[in-house]
Amino acid sequence: AWAEDHRQVIRLRSNRDLLPGGHLASRVPVMVEWRTSRLQGEAPFAILRNVNYGGSILERTTVLHSVRMPLDAVDYVEFTLVPLGPGGRRGPVQHGHLRFVFKPEARPLLLSLEGAPTGTDARIDDLVLSWEPWRYKDDGFNFIKALGNDFDLSLRAYAGAQRYLEDVLEGHEWHSYRLTLPGGAEGVFELLKVALVLGDGAARQVLARLFDHVETTWLKEAPPRDGSNDLSGADWQALRRRIEESERPDFDAPALDDQELTYQTLVRSCAALARYTVLLTARRLVDRGLTDGIDPKKLPDSALGVTEAWMQTAPTADLRGLFMHAPRALRFIGRHPQCVPTRIPGELDAVGLLARRNGKPWRLHFAPKALQPYDSEGARRFEIEPSGAATR
């Protein structure tokens, strides 16, 4: 019933409710309801499932919505770094995500509130797309463990205010860089499509694989239907086909390989995948002849790195083993500087993909004692005047 009705809202216990196989249900990836979306023509839009908005980090609840999102109404996009460890903004441990801010007159609509009585605010201002490890219950994340292939990959979607609130309550700040893509609005449209298609494709592959591994358990433990626990194998296969047969429109769409469907600290981290999405989009635009504002000769290779054999043994290595792996890690980082999130803005700037102010990449610092990204009117919009000053 949930699969067929995209107006339903789900409220989950963030650290308790599980899918078959042990994956946390609250970390389910964003998926596109292709059958009712329209990517081409006038006023294109996408129906997104599993958009995180309205839960509470204090009580560990997550609320997932379906959203009708206009694809041609993005005002601007930011590449955001969130320092997570020592060193603050210059520290080596950073989360990275993409934030799409929509024009005030064409914001995404929460479908559960569509048609609600006058006075209901049914729209959100922005969408944060964040690549994350899909964890299990009581399975803590650390960067050494994520060198292996223990965590499936999940592109999670948040209303921006929800994600910012969660980050602030955990003591984190946002350092956001405004992207400037060739083709202007067409470039932004392409970036949003590429991000969603990559995430949706990965989600369907991971979920289909999960279905294969846990069919017996699910058939045994599924909740009763119509008063009896009679979910059949045919029902199970229908659910699986519902995931696999996305009915996505036929267009030139990118995809991650089967070997790229796990989160990996050095190769497929959140920041590395956000970078990959931006560079892949820029390459697609250049191939169409859109090069305004960038130097195609400086455009880095958008391909993701390859996981090396030593990475698989690092999570279970003792202290001596970690010291032995250190030279390999340093060599890998030397060959792949994008592994260090703080280097990504400079790399994007060198190509011409970042807005600039006073000769430097324009960085907005969002924090309780710095700029506020939201107020009672929604997302705050900052622009650069010809003098180089930032204004709201």
Side-chain angles (χ1 to χ4, degrees):
W2 175 84
E4 295 300 330
D5 182 2
H6 56 236
R7 294 176 184 270
Q8 293 194 31
V9 176
I10 297 180
R11 182 173 182 265
L12 301 163
R13 291 292 175 178
S14 305
N15 63 333
R16 187 186 72 191
D17 293 336
L18 306 177
L19 294 178
H23 289 66
L24 283 168
S26 60
R27 302 183 75 89
V28 67
V30 63
M31 300 177 72
V32 181
E33 179 55 65
W34 298 109
R35 296 183 302 171
T36 49
S37 299
R38 185 173 68 233
L39 272 66
Q40 310 288 343
E42 185 179 354
F45 66 90
I47 303 298
L48 304 187
R49 307 294 301 266
N50 310 325
V51 177
N52 188 337
Y53 181 52
S56 171
I57 190 175
L58 300 179
E59 62 176 0
R60 294 185 174 87
T61 57
T62 298
V63 179
L64 300 178
H65 293 261
S66 292
V67 169
R68 186 183 190 274
M69 187 186 66
L71 293 172
D72 60 350
V74 178
D75 195 2
Y76 58 87
V77 188
E78 294 175 348
F79 171 77
T80 299
L81 289 177
V82 185
L84 302 179
R89 183 169 72 88
R90 294 177 174 80
V93 182
Q94 308 255 345
H95 172 78
H97 64 239
L98 296 175
R99 179 189 179 216
F100 296 83
V101 182
F102 291 81
K103 297 175 183 177
E105 67 276 11
R107 297 175 296 151
L109 173 70
L110 298 168
L111 290 177
S112 60
L113 296 178
E114 185 178 21
T118 301
T120 296
D121 186 0
R123 297 187 179 271
I124 59 176
D125 295 282
D126 55 354
L127 184 79
V128 167
L129 294 179
S130 172
W131 289 100
E132 299 176 13
W134 194 349
R135 303 213 304 266
Y136 306 88
K137 183 181 180 182
D138 301 325
D139 193 357
F141 174 82
N142 67 67
F143 288 87
I144 299 296
K145 183 175 182 179
L147 282 171
N149 288 317
D150 293 336
F151 297 111
D152 286 321
L153 199 57
S154 173
L155 179 65
R156 299 180 69 194
Y158 301 78
Q162 177 73 33
R163 180 59 194 241
Y164 181 71
L165 176 63
E166 293 184 11
D167 283 338
V168 166
L169 290 177
E170 292 185 345
H172 304 318
E173 303 176 345
W174 282 8
H175 297 270
S176 295
Y177 300 83
R178 183 77 57 86
L179 294 172
T180 58
L181 290 155
E186 183 178 347
V188 171
F189 185 8
E190 182 71 11
L191 177 61
L192 183 55
K193 284 199 300 182
V194 167
L196 290 174
V197 169
L198 284 173
D200 177 83
R204 293 179 188 279
Q205 291 184 71
V206 169
L207 284 168
R209 186 174 63 200
L210 176 61
F211 268 47
D212 288 339
H213 290 168
V214 298
E215 177 176 358
T216 302
T217 302
W218 178 257
L219 292 175
K220 179 180 177 181
E221 300 180 3
R225 184 184 66 178
D226 299 329
S228 63
N229 192 5
D230 61 350
L231 186 68
S232 68
D235 295 322
W236 180 262
Q237 292 304 318
L239 284 171
R240 195 185 192 287
R241 287 193 300 273
R242 183 69 176 82
I243 289 175
E244 282 192 311
E245 297 173 4
S246 63
E247 300 185 27
R248 185 174 67 190
D250 184 20
F251 67 101
D252 178 26
L256 295 175
D257 294 335
D258 291 344
Q259 298 82 5
E260 297 174 335
L261 296 178
T262 54
Y263 184 96
Q264 214 281 343
T265 302
L266 295 179
V267 181
R268 293 178 298 277
S269 69
C270 48
L273 282 160
R275 167 194 177 270
Y276 169 74
T277 306
V278 173
L279 292 179
L280 177 61
T281 301
R283 174 57 61 191
R284 289 165 64 90
L285 294 169
V286 167
D287 290 343
R288 290 186 206 164
L290 298 173
T291 60
D292 49 302
I294 71 168
D295 185 349
K297 295 180 181 179
K298 294 183 178 180
L299 192 61
D301 183 3
S302 62
L304 292 168
V306 178
T307 303
E308 297 183 355
W310 65 268
M311 298 176 184
Q312 302 303 315
T313 60
T316 57
D318 57 17
L319 184 60
R320 178 175 178 275
L322 289 177
F323 273 106
M324 293 179 64
H325 286 316
R328 298 188 182 95
L330 292 174
R331 284 196 297 271
F332 186 89
I333 292 172
R335 296 194 305 269
H336 304 87
Q338 67 271 19
C339 297
V340 182
T342 51
R343 296 180 181 177
I344 295 175
E347 182 186 40
L348 298 178
D349 180 55
V351 184
L353 291 170
L354 294 187
R356 310 193 97 230
R357 176 188 172 197
N358 297 328
K360 298 180 180 179
W362 185 32
R363 177 179 60 87
L364 292 173
H365 177 203
F366 296 120
K369 295 184 179 180
L371 291 176
Q372 298 298 308
Y374 307 97
D375 61 15
S376 61
E377 296 180 2
R380 299 180 69 193
R381 288 167 166 79
F382 298 90
E383 301 297 339
I384 300 179
E385 290 186 335
S387 63
T391 63
R392 185 185 172 193

